[in-house]
Amino acid sequence: MSRVQTLTVAVVGVALLAPSASSAAESVHIRPSRAEARRVAAGSTLPTALTHVAVPHRDRIEPVARDGTREVLTPGGSATPGPGTHGPGIAAPATSDAAASGPATAGSATPAPASATPGPTAPEPAPSGSESSAPASPAPVTAADLLARVSGCTPVSQGHYRKDRGRAATVPVCGTREAVYWKADMDIDCDGRPGRHCNAGTDPNFSSSTAFAQSDGRALSSEKLPYVVVPAPSGIWDYREHGVRGGSVAAVVYRDRVSYAVVGDTGPADIIGEASYAAATSLGIDPDPRSGGTPSGVTYIVFKDSRVTPLEDREAAETQGERLAREFVDAAD
């Protein structure tokens, strides 16, 4: 009884060129073909080496025997028959999952292309925050902007007002389509709800009421709410006929500062130029009801047909005031 001999062929130096494979030497056990086995049985000797082809297939070397039967290495080191051939001695082309390899040659492997021709590159996602955003808010209106807008005067009053009792009447009320305004001094109105700074003890002319009340019916707080005082209606000027009322929005300018306030009280029918403790504080003017205020340099601009609701909402007055001031400065009379 004859034995079929096996041959261990040392495949040395065959480099499998695959995307992640490195050059290495492997021992491959090849089972003789049936023809070789018959020659051995007849007394012939096996050839010193079987012709083989290293076929790139991922990270494995797949030898092909002389008779065309491809042997596929398994993890345990044994060989299993591979796919059939296209003809005697011709091995079926092997392909990788990524791309087909070139034609096989004896004793060497044709490297697969390193990479496919790059196709269109998908655009990278835009960085966070690079999307078009809402338009930026315009720059705040400055004192210079407002003063330039009221540099002239078209009088709407029938006469002039005094700054203080016993003084000459020199102050007219001027107007445009959007606003009425006057330039005067600032006296401190400490009337309304009593507080630490505004009460009968700090102000000899203190009154616990104001012409206009807040939403709960109580008097305004001069210490907390910036408000301006308009003259009581008279033959000189009636504010009600010019779109002004309690809660109308006002811009008060002093030097390089702008403060937004509401119309909160009325004063003597022939005197103009007065504002609350809080209004003076916001402009950097001394708010003391006895000795504070300033003798000149204050511009009062009241926007027609405007109103803050509730009247005591200081933040709403500032928001509306900035918007109305921007519209006033940009308007073309």
PDB file of all heavy atoms in Angstrom, residues 139-155:
ATOM      1  N   ALA A 139     -26.250 100.627  16.564  1.00  0.00           N
ATOM      2  CA  ALA A 139     -25.545 101.212  17.703  1.00  0.00           C
ATOM      3  C   ALA A 139     -26.494 102.115  18.484  1.00  0.00           C
ATOM      4  O   ALA A 139     -27.410 102.724  17.921  1.00  0.00           O
ATOM      5  CB  ALA A 139     -24.345 102.022  17.196  1.00  0.00           C
ATOM      6  N   PRO A 140     -26.307 102.196  19.792  1.00  0.00           N
ATOM      7  CA  PRO A 140     -27.170 103.068  20.597  1.00  0.00           C
ATOM      8  C   PRO A 140     -27.098 104.517  20.124  1.00  0.00           C
ATOM      9  O   PRO A 140     -26.060 104.995  19.646  1.00  0.00           O
ATOM     10  CB  PRO A 140     -26.596 102.924  22.012  1.00  0.00           C
ATOM     11  CG  PRO A 140     -25.864 101.620  21.999  1.00  0.00           C
ATOM     12  CD  PRO A 140     -25.330 101.465  20.610  1.00  0.00           C
ATOM     13  N   VAL A 141     -28.219 105.196  20.258  1.00  0.00           N
ATOM     14  CA  VAL A 141     -28.268 106.612  19.897  1.00  0.00           C
ATOM     15  C   VAL A 141     -27.468 107.401  20.934  1.00  0.00           C
ATOM     16  O   VAL A 141     -27.596 107.186  22.145  1.00  0.00           O
ATOM     17  CB  VAL A 141     -29.727 107.095  19.852  1.00  0.00           C
ATOM     18  CG1 VAL A 141     -29.782 108.594  19.572  1.00  0.00           C
ATOM     19  CG2 VAL A 141     -30.501 106.333  18.786  1.00  0.00           C
ATOM     20  N   THR A 142     -26.652 108.307  20.465  1.00  0.00           N
ATOM     21  CA  THR A 142     -25.811 109.084  21.369  1.00  0.00           C
ATOM     22  C   THR A 142     -26.427 110.458  21.650  1.00  0.00           C
ATOM     23  O   THR A 142     -27.356 110.904  20.961  1.00  0.00           O
ATOM     24  CB  THR A 142     -24.412 109.285  20.766  1.00  0.00           C
ATOM     25  OG1 THR A 142     -24.525 110.097  19.585  1.00  0.00           O
ATOM     26  CG2 THR A 142     -23.776 107.945  20.393  1.00  0.00           C
ATOM     27  N   ALA A 143     -25.880 111.120  22.658  1.00  0.00           N
ATOM     28  CA  ALA A 143     -26.322 112.482  22.963  1.00  0.00           C
ATOM     29  C   ALA A 143     -26.084 113.400  21.778  1.00  0.00           C
ATOM     30  O   ALA A 143     -26.928 114.251  21.442  1.00  0.00           O
ATOM     31  CB  ALA A 143     -25.580 112.989  24.202  1.00  0.00           C
ATOM     32  N   ALA A 144     -24.941 113.216  21.112  1.00  0.00           N
ATOM     33  CA  ALA A 144     -24.631 114.053  19.955  1.00  0.00           C
ATOM     34  C   ALA A 144     -25.645 113.841  18.830  1.00  0.00           C
ATOM     35  O   ALA A 144     -26.035 114.792  18.135  1.00  0.00           O
ATOM     36  CB  ALA A 144     -23.225 113.754  19.461  1.00  0.00           C
ATOM     37  N   ASP A 145     -26.085 112.598  18.639  1.00  0.00           N
ATOM     38  CA  ASP A 145     -27.087 112.312  17.613  1.00  0.00           C
ATOM     39  C   ASP A 145     -28.371 113.098  17.874  1.00  0.00           C
ATOM     40  O   ASP A 145     -28.947 113.722  16.972  1.00  0.00           O
ATOM     41  CB  ASP A 145     -27.417 110.816  17.593  1.00  0.00           C
ATOM     42  CG  ASP A 145     -26.250 109.952  17.127  1.00  0.00           C
ATOM     43  OD1 ASP A 145     -25.398 110.463  16.371  1.00  0.00           O
ATOM     44  OD2 ASP A 145     -26.200 108.769  17.528  1.00  0.00           O
ATOM     45  N   LEU A 146     -28.838 113.039  19.106  1.00  0.00           N
ATOM     46  CA  LEU A 146     -30.095 113.703  19.447  1.00  0.00           C
ATOM     47  C   LEU A 146     -29.959 115.226  19.413  1.00  0.00           C
ATOM     48  O   LEU A 146     -30.858 115.926  18.923  1.00  0.00           O
ATOM     49  CB  LEU A 146     -30.565 113.245  20.831  1.00  0.00           C
ATOM     50  CG  LEU A 146     -31.067 111.800  20.894  1.00  0.00           C
ATOM     51  CD1 LEU A 146     -31.239 111.359  22.349  1.00  0.00           C
ATOM     52  CD2 LEU A 146     -32.391 111.657  20.151  1.00  0.00           C
ATOM     53  N   LEU A 147     -28.852 115.739  19.916  1.00  0.00           N
ATOM     54  CA  LEU A 147     -28.674 117.195  19.923  1.00  0.00           C
ATOM     55  C   LEU A 147     -28.585 117.749  18.506  1.00  0.00           C
ATOM     56  O   LEU A 147     -29.068 118.856  18.226  1.00  0.00           O
ATOM     57  CB  LEU A 147     -27.432 117.571  20.729  1.00  0.00           C
ATOM     58  CG  LEU A 147     -27.525 117.296  22.238  1.00  0.00           C
ATOM     59  CD1 LEU A 147     -26.209 117.640  22.933  1.00  0.00           C
ATOM     60  CD2 LEU A 147     -28.682 118.085  22.864  1.00  0.00           C
ATOM     61  N   ALA A 148     -27.971 116.970  17.600  1.00  0.00           N
ATOM     62  CA  ALA A 148     -27.903 117.418  16.213  1.00  0.00           C
ATOM     63  C   ALA A 148     -29.298 117.463  15.588  1.00  0.00           C
ATOM     64  O   ALA A 148     -29.603 118.331  14.764  1.00  0.00           O
ATOM     65  CB  ALA A 148     -26.996 116.484  15.414  1.00  0.00           C
ATOM     66  N   ARG A 149     -30.146 116.543  16.007  1.00  0.00           N
ATOM     67  CA  ARG A 149     -31.501 116.474  15.447  1.00  0.00           C
ATOM     68  C   ARG A 149     -32.375 117.631  15.933  1.00  0.00           C
ATOM     69  O   ARG A 149     -33.326 118.038  15.250  1.00  0.00           O
ATOM     70  CB  ARG A 149     -32.136 115.145  15.861  1.00  0.00           C
ATOM     71  CG  ARG A 149     -33.493 114.880  15.257  1.00  0.00           C
ATOM     72  CD  ARG A 149     -33.375 114.556  13.785  1.00  0.00           C
ATOM     73  NE  ARG A 149     -34.672 114.161  13.230  1.00  0.00           N
ATOM     74  CZ  ARG A 149     -35.632 115.000  12.851  1.00  0.00           C
ATOM     75  NH1 ARG A 149     -35.442 116.307  12.948  1.00  0.00           N
ATOM     76  NH2 ARG A 149     -36.772 114.552  12.372  1.00  0.00           N
ATOM     77  N   VAL A 150     -32.094 118.181  17.119  1.00  0.00           N
ATOM     78  CA  VAL A 150     -32.909 119.271  17.679  1.00  0.00           C
ATOM     79  C   VAL A 150     -32.122 120.584  17.737  1.00  0.00           C
ATOM     80  O   VAL A 150     -32.377 121.433  18.603  1.00  0.00           O
ATOM     81  CB  VAL A 150     -33.432 118.890  19.082  1.00  0.00           C
ATOM     82  CG1 VAL A 150     -34.326 117.669  18.996  1.00  0.00           C
ATOM     83  CG2 VAL A 150     -32.277 118.635  20.058  1.00  0.00           C
ATOM     84  N   SER A 151     -31.187 120.741  16.815  1.00  0.00           N
ATOM     85  CA  SER A 151     -30.370 121.957  16.826  1.00  0.00           C
ATOM     86  C   SER A 151     -31.184 123.212  16.482  1.00  0.00           C
ATOM     87  O   SER A 151     -30.862 124.312  16.922  1.00  0.00           O
ATOM     88  CB  SER A 151     -29.200 121.823  15.841  1.00  0.00           C
ATOM     89  OG  SER A 151     -29.691 121.568  14.532  1.00  0.00           O
ATOM     90  N   GLY A 152     -32.229 123.029  15.692  1.00  0.00           N
ATOM     91  CA  GLY A 152     -33.103 124.157  15.376  1.00  0.00           C
ATOM     92  C   GLY A 152     -34.379 124.093  16.190  1.00  0.00           C
ATOM     93  O   GLY A 152     -34.541 123.233  17.055  1.00  0.00           O
ATOM     94  N   CYS A 153     -35.303 125.019  15.946  1.00  0.00           N
ATOM     95  CA  CYS A 153     -36.556 125.036  16.694  1.00  0.00           C
ATOM     96  C   CYS A 153     -37.687 125.601  15.848  1.00  0.00           C
ATOM     97  O   CYS A 153     -37.574 126.711  15.322  1.00  0.00           O
ATOM     98  CB  CYS A 153     -36.417 125.866  17.968  1.00  0.00           C
ATOM     99  SG  CYS A 153     -37.962 125.991  18.910  1.00  0.00           S
ATOM    100  N   THR A 154     -38.740 124.815  15.717  1.00  0.00           N
ATOM    101  CA  THR A 154     -40.001 125.296  15.157  1.00  0.00           C
ATOM    102  C   THR A 154     -40.980 125.352  16.325  1.00  0.00           C
ATOM    103  O   THR A 154     -41.442 124.302  16.811  1.00  0.00           O
ATOM    104  CB  THR A 154     -40.523 124.336  14.075  1.00  0.00           C
ATOM    105  OG1 THR A 154     -39.563 124.254  13.025  1.00  0.00           O
ATOM    106  CG2 THR A 154     -41.852 124.825  13.528  1.00  0.00           C
ATOM    107  N   PRO A 155     -41.286 126.554  16.871  1.00  0.00           N
ATOM    108  CA  PRO A 155     -42.111 126.649  18.080  1.00  0.00           C
ATOM    109  C   PRO A 155     -43.518 126.096  17.865  1.00  0.00           C
ATOM    110  O   PRO A 155     -44.140 126.313  16.828  1.00  0.00           O
ATOM    111  CB  PRO A 155     -42.157 128.154  18.363  1.00  0.00           C
ATOM    112  CG  PRO A 155     -40.970 128.708  17.653  1.00  0.00           C
ATOM    113  CD  PRO A 155     -40.808 127.867  16.431  1.00  0.00           C
TER     114      PRO A 155
END
